[in-house]
Amino acid sequence: MPLLTSLTVSWFPIPFTSPPKPQVLSYRGFGIEKQSNICCLRSIGRGSSRNLDFHGGAAAAAAGESGYSREFDIPFPSDYDELLKQAKEATELALKNNKQLMEIEFPTSGLDSVPGDGEGGIEMTGSLQLIREFCDLVVSPEKATRTRVFLPEANEVAFARKSAFGGSSLKLDYLTKPSFFQDFGFVSKVKMADRVKPADELFLVGYPYFNVNEMLVVEELYKEAVVNTSRKLIIFNGELDRIRSGYYPAFFYPKLAALTDSLFPKMETVYYIHNFKGRNGGVLFRCYPGPWKVLRKVRKGYICVHQQEVMPSLKEVALEILPKA
């Protein structure tokens, strides 16, 4: 992440080892045009009816023939303000339903972008600002001191306090420490039990994806500080699809690959956007507690071409669902 200070961050550009990158602090100048959205209210293909588990059991009562609640048939957001409001409502509902491990994932370079469209540091800086705005919506002032936001490294915490989180009462912390060999991907492990305080109620982990050790530390945080407690953990823009899709070969990264069986089944994806480009382009979209939707962009917004109860793989959406839509 390009920093506007002299702080050194292990996996971001540093003067003595990496070519300098533009020192830009760019947050949300995305200029997304407001559009209307059209979504279907029926399941297609493998989508099956179910009783949505949300507070008070209202979903089952409001469900139509498909079994999905019309109340939670959320349209694709028109801009980031609407996105954050949708993510807020989905997260609050998941918290009421006592979901302990949650995922929020969406692109930060524009609602129609994919990871990598923007320069990596700027995308992470954008996530940092969006995390602050999300916390301002979800975390009440009296809960701020009991909410701990984890960033990948200690130097990023110092940067966040001087930028996006300036004046915030939220507790900031880190997952890893830089080491002498930081440019080769080596970092010092931080014992998560030592980072957590008794008063902590909610953990939010921001973009733990650049170094493979970061998600392993998140798993440790979940096991040591969330399981068998009333605490909650949210992973914000962790690019977990890298792990789901096998981007990291299990032979070389067995612990990381094991997360698909150990950690991910316990996780509820409360808000998710993934874009597919090309001739058969579209969007995989979910807002808890609604179904997973595959959307096709049209001139006046989006149409839903498929929806189902469980998350489809990105390969399935790209090679099967969208081409047949």
Side-chain angles (χ1 to χ4, degrees), residues 165-179:
F165 283 83
S168 173
S169 299
L170 295 162
K171 302 299 182 182
L172 300 186
D173 220 315
Y174 56 90
L175 299 174
T176 61
K177 287 182 179 179
S179 74

Side-chain angles (χ1 to χ4, degrees), residues 267-321:
M267 183 165 54
E268 185 73 51
T269 302
V270 297
Y271 199 85
Y272 181 95
I273 294 174
H274 184 95
N275 289 292
F276 298 82
K277 295 188 174 183
R279 186 180 64 179
N280 294 318
V283 185
L284 179 60
F285 174 62
R286 201 244 174 154
C287 183
Y288 177 87
W292 289 86
K293 300 178 182 180
V294 179
L295 309 177
R296 177 85 76 184
K297 190 172 185 179
V298 295
R299 186 173 60 179
K300 294 184 178 181
Y302 292 84
I303 59 172
C304 176
V305 298
H306 179 93
Q307 68 181 31
Q308 62 185 63
E309 179 181 355
V310 297
M311 181 183 187
S313 69
L314 300 185
K315 181 178 180 180
E316 182 182 4
V317 174
L319 299 183
E320 299 180 22
I321 298 174

